[in-house]
Amino acid sequence: MPIYNAPVEDMMFLFEKLRDNKNYNEIERYKEVTPDLVKDILEEAAKINQNLILPLAKAGDENPAVLENGVVRTPPGYKDAYKKYIEDGWTSLSCDPKYGGQGMPKTVSAFFDEMLSSASLSFKLYSELSIGAYNCINHHATDEIKDKYLPKIVEGKWSGTMCLTEPVCGTDLGLLKTKAVSQVDGTYKISGQKIFITSGDHDLTENIIHLVLARASDSPAGTKGISLFLVPKFLVKEDGVIGPRNGISTGSIENKMGIKGSATCVLNFDEATGYMIGQKDKGLNAMFTMMNLERIVVGIQGLGISEIAYQNSLAYAKERKQGKTNNTKSTNGADFIIEHADIRRSLLNMKSIIEGERALCFWLSQQTEVSLHHADEKIKQEASDYVSLMTPVVKSLFTDLAVEITNDAMQIHGGYGYTKDQGIEQFYRDNRITPIYEGTNSVQAADLVFRKLSNRNGNIINRFLEMIKLECQSENEKIKPFTKEFNYYHDLLSKFSNWIEDKNKTEKDDVSAAANDYLRTLGYVSVAYAWIKVLEASYKNFDENKEFYEDKISTAKFYFEKVLPRSEQHYKTAISGSSNIMKFKFN
């Protein structure tokens, strides 16, 4: 079975040394969230993930969720683990105390999300969508609905799903066919089929609360006629007691490449009773509250799987002997493969990306909390714009690089990595869904270049570029070589942004063809920005823990020398345009 040690020290470094967002630190509700409290939480989180949840990854892969006589059964060990998981309060970590939550900020819960993704993504998905449903209901439902459903979701006794995709539509939700017919009592009868529903049915919770996109019978076609409905698996009586089964059945469970322990279901709605959430025909707006937060969490999934893949690759490289290195002094036998330059390059590539991503994610977590809870509306809006800009970047870059990292992990393990015995190939298979679900990464790139660079508040990307350049003007002589490199690629990204803006007015195919390259360039430069912040903290606090900070500085050096230069290749590829692409004739 793979090993995993939660990177608590690195997480605490970020929380203690990089919690530098003035606006975040002004939020009253988080002033009692001290480093000592956070350390206690993370250490307990490490224990449950390492000892209880990690073994479930292999169990779920070998004994997937199954549908038997209309009942979905989760893999062996899942029910007992989930019971312990909710008893310890992990579902309530970031939820409002009003509904029984602990009220921890994203700067804490994101670390837990990463740990859980490392330990077992399949197990994580049963509670992850519940938190997404909680956020959506909390933002858009009536107080009556909130009081009736949220306490049980927060407690973990009830779970939640997000039901968008249908056989006729994935990304293009305007084509959906699920119907909602209004009733005299104010409810709706929901009829249709939803596919690829994560945790759509299972035996872990007493009830499952589905958030379903459907079209009312008198609503217009297209996305403007979509509403959002809360449709419980079991109807809930006025006193909160579970009543009879609603008109929902599971048609099948998808046979997937990875995340086999997670029940990905086809759900049939046959005049199921539903309750409208938010305004009629504004369902997509409400659902995006769930989807946008979920996209960041999917990026964290990629980060978590990358971390465990790196840890196992490093451990294997230290114990596997193969061949002789160029500078070997041994006269017999082979050297450990960690002494080979190419293996070291692969490991440092993983490490520099992972630690940079974690730092960027921590920065984004602070911005997210400011966007939700700061008292000044102008400050909230600016933070919201930055979160909106970075959401497709974190979702896409972190998951695409996780494909690279899990692939390299298999390569380091050689033939053993390809066999199921070591558990390494499962990292690749489990992660491979992350660039696909919650909007494919190409859709994220298109969303970025066509919708997120500018909005009604102005040119967001230019404001972001100005902000990060200002923050990276270090007076520390030791950091100046890094800032010099950063400024070069920052200016390149600025040129790229201007090119995208110009092409958006004249040749949109050029923009579409360049979208993924632009997202990567923005992502690599943003991670470099996070590394500059890490370097500032490392040099400032160097004498506190020399070994830790020397490691940070050396890892940053690799990122700036070997990873950040990828940006230039993406830029050069993109500005060649789309003419040949669009004129090419496929046979």
Short mmCIF file of all heavy atoms in Angstrom, two decimals, residues 445-503:
data_model
loop_
_atom_site.label_atom_id
_atom_site.label_comp_id
_atom_site.label_asym_id
_atom_site.label_seq_id
_atom_site.Cartn_x
_atom_site.Cartn_y
_atom_site.Cartn_z
N ALA A 445 -10.35 27.04 -19.93
CA ALA A 445 -9.48 27.98 -20.65
C ALA A 445 -10.30 28.97 -21.47
O ALA A 445 -10.00 30.17 -21.50
CB ALA A 445 -8.51 27.21 -21.54
N ALA A 446 -11.35 28.46 -22.13
CA ALA A 446 -12.22 29.35 -22.90
C ALA A 446 -12.94 30.33 -21.98
O ALA A 446 -13.08 31.53 -22.31
CB ALA A 446 -13.24 28.51 -23.69
N ASP A 447 -13.40 29.85 -20.83
CA ASP A 447 -14.05 30.72 -19.85
C ASP A 447 -13.10 31.83 -19.41
O ASP A 447 -13.48 33.00 -19.28
CB ASP A 447 -14.50 29.87 -18.66
CG ASP A 447 -15.18 30.69 -17.57
OD1 ASP A 447 -16.11 31.45 -17.90
OD2 ASP A 447 -14.78 30.58 -16.39
N LEU A 448 -11.83 31.46 -19.22
CA LEU A 448 -10.84 32.45 -18.79
C LEU A 448 -10.66 33.55 -19.83
O LEU A 448 -10.77 34.74 -19.52
CB LEU A 448 -9.50 31.75 -18.52
CG LEU A 448 -8.31 32.67 -18.21
CD1 LEU A 448 -8.51 33.37 -16.87
CD2 LEU A 448 -7.01 31.86 -18.21
N VAL A 449 -10.38 33.17 -21.09
CA VAL A 449 -10.01 34.18 -22.08
C VAL A 449 -11.20 34.98 -22.59
O VAL A 449 -11.04 36.13 -23.03
CB VAL A 449 -9.24 33.56 -23.27
CG1 VAL A 449 -7.93 32.97 -22.81
CG2 VAL A 449 -10.08 32.51 -24.00
N PHE A 450 -12.39 34.41 -22.54
CA PHE A 450 -13.56 35.12 -23.07
C PHE A 450 -14.39 35.83 -22.00
O PHE A 450 -15.13 36.75 -22.31
CB PHE A 450 -14.46 34.17 -23.86
CG PHE A 450 -13.88 33.73 -25.17
CD1 PHE A 450 -13.59 32.40 -25.41
CD2 PHE A 450 -13.63 34.66 -26.18
CE1 PHE A 450 -13.05 32.00 -26.63
CE2 PHE A 450 -13.10 34.27 -27.39
CZ PHE A 450 -12.80 32.93 -27.63
N ARG A 451 -14.25 35.40 -20.72
CA ARG A 451 -15.14 35.96 -19.70
C ARG A 451 -14.45 36.50 -18.46
O ARG A 451 -15.01 37.37 -17.78
CB ARG A 451 -16.16 34.90 -19.25
CG ARG A 451 -17.07 34.40 -20.35
CD ARG A 451 -18.14 33.47 -19.77
NE ARG A 451 -18.98 32.89 -20.82
CZ ARG A 451 -18.75 31.73 -21.42
NH1 ARG A 451 -17.68 31.02 -21.05
NH2 ARG A 451 -19.54 31.27 -22.35
N LYS A 452 -13.28 36.00 -18.13
CA LYS A 452 -12.71 36.30 -16.81
C LYS A 452 -11.65 37.39 -16.81
O LYS A 452 -11.33 37.95 -15.76
CB LYS A 452 -12.12 35.01 -16.19
CG LYS A 452 -13.16 33.92 -15.95
CD LYS A 452 -14.19 34.37 -14.94
CE LYS A 452 -15.32 33.36 -14.72
NZ LYS A 452 -14.89 32.08 -14.17
N LEU A 453 -11.07 37.70 -17.96
CA LEU A 453 -10.00 38.71 -17.99
C LEU A 453 -10.54 40.11 -17.76
O LEU A 453 -9.85 40.97 -17.21
CB LEU A 453 -9.23 38.64 -19.31
CG LEU A 453 -8.59 37.29 -19.63
CD1 LEU A 453 -7.80 37.37 -20.93
CD2 LEU A 453 -7.70 36.82 -18.50
N SER A 454 -11.76 40.33 -18.20
CA SER A 454 -12.43 41.62 -17.98
C SER A 454 -13.89 41.35 -17.61
O SER A 454 -14.46 40.33 -18.02
CB SER A 454 -12.39 42.50 -19.23
OG SER A 454 -11.06 42.80 -19.58
N ASN A 455 -14.47 42.26 -16.84
CA ASN A 455 -15.91 42.19 -16.55
C ASN A 455 -16.43 43.60 -16.35
O ASN A 455 -15.77 44.58 -16.69
CB ASN A 455 -16.19 41.29 -15.34
CG ASN A 455 -15.58 41.81 -14.04
OD1 ASN A 455 -15.21 42.99 -13.94
ND2 ASN A 455 -15.47 40.95 -13.04
N ARG A 456 -17.62 43.71 -15.80
CA ARG A 456 -18.22 45.04 -15.65
C ARG A 456 -17.42 45.95 -14.72
O ARG A 456 -17.61 47.16 -14.70
CB ARG A 456 -19.66 44.91 -15.15
CG ARG A 456 -19.78 44.33 -13.76
CD ARG A 456 -21.25 44.24 -13.34
NE ARG A 456 -21.41 43.71 -12.00
CZ ARG A 456 -21.46 42.43 -11.70
NH1 ARG A 456 -21.35 41.52 -12.67
NH2 ARG A 456 -21.61 42.03 -10.45
N ASN A 457 -16.51 45.35 -13.95
CA ASN A 457 -15.67 46.13 -13.04
C ASN A 457 -14.36 46.58 -13.69
O ASN A 457 -13.53 47.18 -13.04
CB ASN A 457 -15.36 45.32 -11.78
CG ASN A 457 -16.62 44.90 -11.06
OD1 ASN A 457 -17.51 45.72 -10.84
ND2 ASN A 457 -16.72 43.63 -10.70
N GLY A 458 -14.19 46.23 -14.98
CA GLY A 458 -13.01 46.69 -15.69
C GLY A 458 -12.08 45.56 -16.08
O GLY A 458 -12.48 44.39 -16.15
N ASN A 459 -10.83 45.91 -16.33
CA ASN A 459 -9.82 44.97 -16.80
C ASN A 459 -9.20 44.27 -15.60
O ASN A 459 -8.30 44.79 -14.95
CB ASN A 459 -8.75 45.71 -17.61
CG ASN A 459 -7.86 44.75 -18.36
OD1 ASN A 459 -7.37 43.78 -17.79
ND2 ASN A 459 -7.62 45.04 -19.64
N ILE A 460 -9.68 43.07 -15.30
CA ILE A 460 -9.25 42.34 -14.09
C ILE A 460 -7.81 41.87 -14.23
O ILE A 460 -7.01 41.97 -13.28
CB ILE A 460 -10.17 41.14 -13.81
CG1 ILE A 460 -11.64 41.59 -13.78
CG2 ILE A 460 -9.77 40.45 -12.51
CD1 ILE A 460 -11.94 42.68 -12.82
N ILE A 461 -7.44 41.37 -15.40
CA ILE A 461 -6.10 40.81 -15.56
C ILE A 461 -5.03 41.90 -15.38
O ILE A 461 -3.99 41.66 -14.75
CB ILE A 461 -5.94 40.09 -16.92
CG1 ILE A 461 -4.57 39.41 -17.02
CG2 ILE A 461 -6.17 41.03 -18.08
CD1 ILE A 461 -4.29 38.35 -15.99
N ASN A 462 -5.28 43.09 -15.88
CA ASN A 462 -4.29 44.16 -15.70
C ASN A 462 -4.15 44.56 -14.24
O ASN A 462 -3.03 44.83 -13.76
CB ASN A 462 -4.66 45.38 -16.55
CG ASN A 462 -4.28 45.20 -18.01
OD1 ASN A 462 -3.64 44.21 -18.37
ND2 ASN A 462 -4.67 46.13 -18.86
N ARG A 463 -5.27 44.59 -13.53
CA ARG A 463 -5.22 44.90 -12.09
C ARG A 463 -4.42 43.82 -11.35
O ARG A 463 -3.62 44.12 -10.46
CB ARG A 463 -6.63 45.00 -11.50
CG ARG A 463 -7.42 46.22 -11.97
CD ARG A 463 -8.30 46.79 -10.86
NE ARG A 463 -9.11 45.79 -10.19
CZ ARG A 463 -10.36 45.46 -10.54
NH1 ARG A 463 -10.93 46.07 -11.57
NH2 ARG A 463 -11.03 44.56 -9.88
N PHE A 464 -4.66 42.57 -11.73
CA PHE A 464 -3.94 41.46 -11.10
C PHE A 464 -2.45 41.56 -11.39
O PHE A 464 -1.62 41.40 -10.49
CB PHE A 464 -4.50 40.13 -11.61
CG PHE A 464 -3.75 38.92 -11.13
CD1 PHE A 464 -3.92 38.46 -9.83
CD2 PHE A 464 -2.89 38.24 -11.97
CE1 PHE A 464 -3.22 37.34 -9.38
CE2 PHE A 464 -2.19 37.12 -11.54
CZ PHE A 464 -2.36 36.67 -10.23
N LEU A 465 -2.10 41.83 -12.65
CA LEU A 465 -0.69 41.94 -13.02
C LEU A 465 0.00 43.09 -12.30
O LEU A 465 1.16 42.97 -11.87
CB LEU A 465 -0.56 42.10 -14.54
CG LEU A 465 -0.92 40.86 -15.37
CD1 LEU A 465 -0.94 41.21 -16.86
CD2 LEU A 465 0.06 39.73 -15.10
N GLU A 466 -0.69 44.21 -12.17
CA GLU A 466 -0.13 45.34 -11.44
C GLU A 466 0.09 45.00 -9.97
O GLU A 466 1.13 45.34 -9.38
CB GLU A 466 -1.06 46.55 -11.55
CG GLU A 466 -1.09 47.19 -12.94
CD GLU A 466 -2.21 48.21 -13.09
OE1 GLU A 466 -2.87 48.53 -12.06
OE2 GLU A 466 -2.45 48.67 -14.21
N MET A 467 -0.88 44.29 -9.39
CA MET A 467 -0.80 43.93 -7.98
C MET A 467 0.38 42.99 -7.72
O MET A 467 1.18 43.23 -6.80
CB MET A 467 -2.12 43.29 -7.54
CG MET A 467 -2.17 42.91 -6.06
SD MET A 467 -1.59 41.22 -5.73
CE MET A 467 -2.87 40.25 -6.53
N ILE A 468 0.52 41.93 -8.53
CA ILE A 468 1.58 40.97 -8.23
C ILE A 468 2.97 41.55 -8.53
O ILE A 468 3.94 41.23 -7.85
CB ILE A 468 1.37 39.62 -8.97
CG1 ILE A 468 1.42 39.77 -10.49
CG2 ILE A 468 0.07 38.97 -8.52
CD1 ILE A 468 1.37 38.42 -11.22
N LYS A 469 3.06 42.43 -9.52
CA LYS A 469 4.36 43.05 -9.80
C LYS A 469 4.78 43.96 -8.66
O LYS A 469 5.95 43.98 -8.25
CB LYS A 469 4.32 43.84 -11.11
CG LYS A 469 5.70 44.31 -11.56
CD LYS A 469 5.75 44.67 -13.03
CE LYS A 469 7.17 44.91 -13.50
NZ LYS A 469 7.25 45.16 -14.95
N LEU A 470 3.82 44.70 -8.12
CA LEU A 470 4.11 45.59 -6.99
C LEU A 470 4.57 44.78 -5.78
O LEU A 470 5.51 45.17 -5.08
CB LEU A 470 2.87 46.41 -6.65
CG LEU A 470 3.02 47.45 -5.54
CD1 LEU A 470 4.01 48.53 -5.97
CD2 LEU A 470 1.68 48.08 -5.19
N GLU A 471 3.92 43.66 -5.54
CA GLU A 471 4.25 42.84 -4.37
C GLU A 471 5.58 42.10 -4.54
O GLU A 471 6.14 41.60 -3.56
CB GLU A 471 3.13 41.83 -4.09
CG GLU A 471 1.88 42.47 -3.52
CD GLU A 471 0.93 41.45 -2.91
OE1 GLU A 471 1.36 40.31 -2.63
OE2 GLU A 471 -0.24 41.79 -2.69
N CYS A 472 6.07 42.01 -5.75
CA CYS A 472 7.31 41.27 -6.00
C CYS A 472 8.52 42.18 -6.16
O CYS A 472 9.57 41.75 -6.66
CB CYS A 472 7.15 40.38 -7.24
SG CYS A 472 6.04 38.97 -6.97
N GLN A 473 8.40 43.44 -5.78
CA GLN A 473 9.54 44.36 -5.85
C GLN A 473 10.32 44.30 -4.54
O GLN A 473 10.27 45.21 -3.72
CB GLN A 473 9.05 45.79 -6.13
CG GLN A 473 8.28 45.94 -7.43
CD GLN A 473 9.03 45.38 -8.63
OE1 GLN A 473 10.17 45.76 -8.89
NE2 GLN A 473 8.39 44.48 -9.36
N SER A 474 11.04 43.23 -4.35
CA SER A 474 11.77 43.00 -3.10
C SER A 474 13.06 43.82 -3.05
O SER A 474 13.75 44.00 -4.06
CB SER A 474 12.10 41.52 -2.95
OG SER A 474 12.88 41.30 -1.80
N GLU A 475 13.39 44.28 -1.86
CA GLU A 475 14.66 44.99 -1.64
C GLU A 475 15.75 44.04 -1.18
O GLU A 475 16.91 44.44 -1.03
CB GLU A 475 14.46 46.10 -0.59
CG GLU A 475 13.54 47.22 -1.05
CD GLU A 475 14.04 47.90 -2.32
OE1 GLU A 475 15.26 48.19 -2.41
OE2 GLU A 475 13.22 48.12 -3.23
N ASN A 476 15.38 42.81 -0.94
CA ASN A 476 16.35 41.81 -0.49
C ASN A 476 17.24 41.40 -1.67
O ASN A 476 16.76 40.90 -2.69
CB ASN A 476 15.60 40.59 0.07
CG ASN A 476 16.53 39.59 0.74
OD1 ASN A 476 17.66 39.37 0.29
ND2 ASN A 476 16.05 38.99 1.81
N GLU A 477 18.55 41.62 -1.54
CA GLU A 477 19.47 41.34 -2.64
C GLU A 477 19.46 39.87 -3.05
O GLU A 477 19.69 39.54 -4.21
CB GLU A 477 20.90 41.76 -2.24
CG GLU A 477 21.11 43.26 -2.14
CD GLU A 477 20.91 43.97 -3.48
OE1 GLU A 477 21.27 43.38 -4.53
OE2 GLU A 477 20.40 45.10 -3.49
N LYS A 478 19.20 39.00 -2.07
CA LYS A 478 19.19 37.56 -2.36
C LYS A 478 17.99 37.15 -3.21
O LYS A 478 18.02 36.12 -3.89
CB LYS A 478 19.21 36.77 -1.06
CG LYS A 478 20.50 36.94 -0.28
CD LYS A 478 20.45 36.17 1.04
CE LYS A 478 21.76 36.34 1.80
NZ LYS A 478 21.74 35.64 3.12
N ILE A 479 16.93 37.96 -3.15
CA ILE A 479 15.72 37.63 -3.91
C ILE A 479 15.74 38.26 -5.30
O ILE A 479 15.03 37.81 -6.21
CB ILE A 479 14.46 38.07 -3.12
CG1 ILE A 479 14.37 37.29 -1.80
CG2 ILE A 479 13.17 37.86 -3.92
CD1 ILE A 479 13.21 37.68 -0.92
N LYS A 480 16.57 39.27 -5.50
CA LYS A 480 16.57 40.00 -6.78
C LYS A 480 16.81 39.13 -8.01
O LYS A 480 16.21 39.38 -9.06
CB LYS A 480 17.53 41.18 -6.71
CG LYS A 480 16.97 42.33 -5.87
CD LYS A 480 17.83 43.56 -5.92
CE LYS A 480 17.17 44.69 -5.14
NZ LYS A 480 17.98 45.93 -5.14
N PRO A 481 17.65 38.09 -7.95
CA PRO A 481 17.77 37.22 -9.13
C PRO A 481 16.44 36.54 -9.49
O PRO A 481 16.15 36.34 -10.67
CB PRO A 481 18.83 36.20 -8.71
CG PRO A 481 19.63 36.88 -7.66
CD PRO A 481 18.66 37.75 -6.92
N PHE A 482 15.66 36.22 -8.46
CA PHE A 482 14.35 35.61 -8.70
C PHE A 482 13.36 36.63 -9.27
O PHE A 482 12.61 36.33 -10.20
CB PHE A 482 13.78 35.02 -7.40
CG PHE A 482 14.58 33.88 -6.84
CD1 PHE A 482 15.51 34.08 -5.83
CD2 PHE A 482 14.39 32.58 -7.31
CE1 PHE A 482 16.24 33.03 -5.30
CE2 PHE A 482 15.12 31.52 -6.80
CZ PHE A 482 16.05 31.75 -5.78
N THR A 483 13.37 37.83 -8.71
CA THR A 483 12.44 38.85 -9.19
C THR A 483 12.79 39.30 -10.61
O THR A 483 11.90 39.68 -11.38
CB THR A 483 12.40 40.07 -8.25
OG1 THR A 483 13.70 40.63 -8.11
CG2 THR A 483 11.86 39.68 -6.88
N LYS A 484 14.09 39.25 -10.94
CA LYS A 484 14.47 39.58 -12.32
C LYS A 484 13.83 38.60 -13.30
O LYS A 484 13.28 39.00 -14.33
CB LYS A 484 16.00 39.55 -12.46
CG LYS A 484 16.49 39.88 -13.86
CD LYS A 484 18.02 39.81 -13.95
CE LYS A 484 18.49 40.10 -15.36
NZ LYS A 484 19.99 40.00 -15.48
N GLU A 485 13.90 37.31 -12.98
CA GLU A 485 13.26 36.30 -13.82
C GLU A 485 11.75 36.47 -13.82
O GLU A 485 11.09 36.38 -14.87
CB GLU A 485 13.62 34.89 -13.32
CG GLU A 485 15.04 34.46 -13.60
CD GLU A 485 15.30 34.36 -15.10
OE1 GLU A 485 14.61 33.57 -15.78
OE2 GLU A 485 16.18 35.10 -15.59
N PHE A 486 11.20 36.73 -12.64
CA PHE A 486 9.76 36.93 -12.54
C PHE A 486 9.30 38.09 -13.42
O PHE A 486 8.30 37.98 -14.14
CB PHE A 486 9.35 37.20 -11.08
CG PHE A 486 7.91 37.59 -10.91
CD1 PHE A 486 6.91 36.63 -10.89
CD2 PHE A 486 7.55 38.93 -10.80
CE1 PHE A 486 5.58 36.99 -10.77
CE2 PHE A 486 6.23 39.31 -10.66
CZ PHE A 486 5.24 38.34 -10.65
N ASN A 487 10.01 39.19 -13.38
CA ASN A 487 9.62 40.36 -14.16
C ASN A 487 9.66 40.07 -15.66
O ASN A 487 8.81 40.57 -16.42
CB ASN A 487 10.54 41.54 -13.84
CG ASN A 487 10.28 42.13 -12.47
OD1 ASN A 487 9.17 42.00 -11.94
ND2 ASN A 487 11.28 42.76 -11.88
N TYR A 488 10.63 39.27 -16.10
CA TYR A 488 10.70 38.91 -17.52
C TYR A 488 9.43 38.18 -17.96
O TYR A 488 8.81 38.52 -18.98
CB TYR A 488 11.93 38.05 -17.79
CG TYR A 488 12.01 37.54 -19.21
CD1 TYR A 488 12.51 38.35 -20.23
CD2 TYR A 488 11.56 36.26 -19.54
CE1 TYR A 488 12.58 37.89 -21.54
CE2 TYR A 488 11.61 35.79 -20.85
CZ TYR A 488 12.12 36.61 -21.84
OH TYR A 488 12.17 36.17 -23.13
N TYR A 489 9.03 37.18 -17.17
CA TYR A 489 7.86 36.38 -17.55
C TYR A 489 6.55 37.13 -17.26
O TYR A 489 5.55 36.91 -17.94
CB TYR A 489 7.90 35.02 -16.86
CG TYR A 489 9.00 34.16 -17.42
CD1 TYR A 489 10.19 33.97 -16.71
CD2 TYR A 489 8.89 33.57 -18.68
CE1 TYR A 489 11.22 33.22 -17.24
CE2 TYR A 489 9.92 32.81 -19.22
CZ TYR A 489 11.08 32.64 -18.49
OH TYR A 489 12.11 31.90 -19.03
N HIS A 490 6.60 38.01 -16.28
CA HIS A 490 5.45 38.87 -16.03
C HIS A 490 5.20 39.77 -17.24
O HIS A 490 4.04 39.92 -17.69
CB HIS A 490 5.72 39.71 -14.78
CG HIS A 490 4.66 40.73 -14.48
ND1 HIS A 490 4.54 41.93 -15.14
CD2 HIS A 490 3.63 40.72 -13.58
CE1 HIS A 490 3.52 42.61 -14.67
NE2 HIS A 490 2.95 41.90 -13.71
N ASP A 491 6.24 40.35 -17.78
CA ASP A 491 6.09 41.22 -18.95
C ASP A 491 5.62 40.42 -20.17
O ASP A 491 4.83 40.91 -20.98
CB ASP A 491 7.42 41.91 -19.26
CG ASP A 491 7.79 42.94 -18.19
OD1 ASP A 491 6.91 43.29 -17.38
OD2 ASP A 491 8.97 43.36 -18.15
N LEU A 492 6.12 39.19 -20.29
CA LEU A 492 5.68 38.32 -21.37
C LEU A 492 4.18 38.03 -21.25
O LEU A 492 3.43 38.05 -22.23
CB LEU A 492 6.49 37.02 -21.36
CG LEU A 492 6.18 35.99 -22.44
CD1 LEU A 492 7.48 35.32 -22.90
CD2 LEU A 492 5.22 34.94 -21.95
N LEU A 493 3.72 37.76 -20.01
CA LEU A 493 2.30 37.52 -19.77
C LEU A 493 1.48 38.77 -20.08
O LEU A 493 0.37 38.68 -20.64
CB LEU A 493 2.07 37.09 -18.32
CG LEU A 493 0.61 36.94 -17.87
CD1 LEU A 493 -0.14 35.93 -18.73
CD2 LEU A 493 0.56 36.53 -16.40
N SER A 494 2.03 39.93 -19.76
CA SER A 494 1.34 41.18 -20.07
C SER A 494 1.17 41.35 -21.59
O SER A 494 0.11 41.73 -22.08
CB SER A 494 2.12 42.36 -19.49
OG SER A 494 1.44 43.57 -19.72
N LYS A 495 2.23 41.05 -22.34
CA LYS A 495 2.14 41.10 -23.82
C LYS A 495 1.11 40.10 -24.33
O LYS A 495 0.33 40.40 -25.25
CB LYS A 495 3.51 40.79 -24.45
CG LYS A 495 4.51 41.91 -24.42
CD LYS A 495 5.66 41.68 -25.38
CE LYS A 495 6.46 40.45 -25.03
NZ LYS A 495 7.63 40.25 -25.92
N PHE A 496 1.14 38.92 -23.75
CA PHE A 496 0.19 37.86 -24.13
C PHE A 496 -1.24 38.32 -23.86
O PHE A 496 -2.15 38.12 -24.68
CB PHE A 496 0.53 36.60 -23.32
CG PHE A 496 0.02 35.31 -23.93
CD1 PHE A 496 0.46 34.09 -23.42
CD2 PHE A 496 -0.88 35.28 -24.99
CE1 PHE A 496 0.02 32.88 -23.94
CE2 PHE A 496 -1.33 34.08 -25.53
CZ PHE A 496 -0.88 32.87 -24.99
N SER A 497 -1.46 38.96 -22.73
CA SER A 497 -2.80 39.46 -22.37
C SER A 497 -3.27 40.51 -23.37
O SER A 497 -4.44 40.52 -23.77
CB SER A 497 -2.80 40.03 -20.96
OG SER A 497 -2.43 39.07 -20.01
N ASN A 498 -2.38 41.40 -23.77
CA ASN A 498 -2.73 42.42 -24.76
C ASN A 498 -3.06 41.77 -26.11
O ASN A 498 -3.97 42.21 -26.82
CB ASN A 498 -1.59 43.43 -24.92
CG ASN A 498 -1.39 44.28 -23.68
OD1 ASN A 498 -2.33 44.47 -22.89
ND2 ASN A 498 -0.19 44.79 -23.48
N TRP A 499 -2.30 40.74 -26.46
CA TRP A 499 -2.56 40.01 -27.71
C TRP A 499 -3.94 39.37 -27.67
O TRP A 499 -4.70 39.45 -28.64
CB TRP A 499 -1.47 38.95 -27.90
CG TRP A 499 -1.56 38.18 -29.19
CD1 TRP A 499 -0.99 38.50 -30.39
CD2 TRP A 499 -2.25 36.94 -29.40
NE1 TRP A 499 -1.29 37.55 -31.34
CE2 TRP A 499 -2.06 36.58 -30.76
CE3 TRP A 499 -3.01 36.11 -28.59
CZ2 TRP A 499 -2.61 35.41 -31.31
CZ3 TRP A 499 -3.56 34.95 -29.13
CH2 TRP A 499 -3.36 34.62 -30.48
N ILE A 500 -4.29 38.75 -26.55
CA ILE A 500 -5.61 38.14 -26.39
C ILE A 500 -6.71 39.20 -26.52
O ILE A 500 -7.72 39.01 -27.20
CB ILE A 500 -5.72 37.42 -25.03
CG1 ILE A 500 -4.84 36.16 -25.00
CG2 ILE A 500 -7.17 37.08 -24.70
CD1 ILE A 500 -5.38 34.97 -25.75
N GLU A 501 -6.49 40.34 -25.88
CA GLU A 501 -7.49 41.42 -25.92
C GLU A 501 -7.70 41.91 -27.35
O GLU A 501 -8.84 42.10 -27.80
CB GLU A 501 -7.05 42.57 -25.02
CG GLU A 501 -8.08 43.69 -24.92
CD GLU A 501 -7.64 44.81 -23.99
OE1 GLU A 501 -6.47 44.80 -23.52
OE2 GLU A 501 -8.46 45.70 -23.72
N ASP A 502 -6.62 42.08 -28.09
CA ASP A 502 -6.72 42.55 -29.47
C ASP A 502 -7.39 41.51 -30.37
O ASP A 502 -8.27 41.83 -31.18
CB ASP A 502 -5.33 42.89 -30.03
CG ASP A 502 -4.73 44.12 -29.37
OD1 ASP A 502 -5.50 44.92 -28.78
OD2 ASP A 502 -3.50 44.28 -29.44
N LYS A 503 -6.99 40.26 -30.23
CA LYS A 503 -7.55 39.20 -31.06
C LYS A 503 -9.01 38.95 -30.76
O LYS A 503 -9.77 38.51 -31.63
CB LYS A 503 -6.75 37.91 -30.88
CG LYS A 503 -5.36 37.96 -31.50
CD LYS A 503 -5.44 38.07 -33.03
CE LYS A 503 -4.07 38.07 -33.66
NZ LYS A 503 -4.14 38.13 -35.14
#
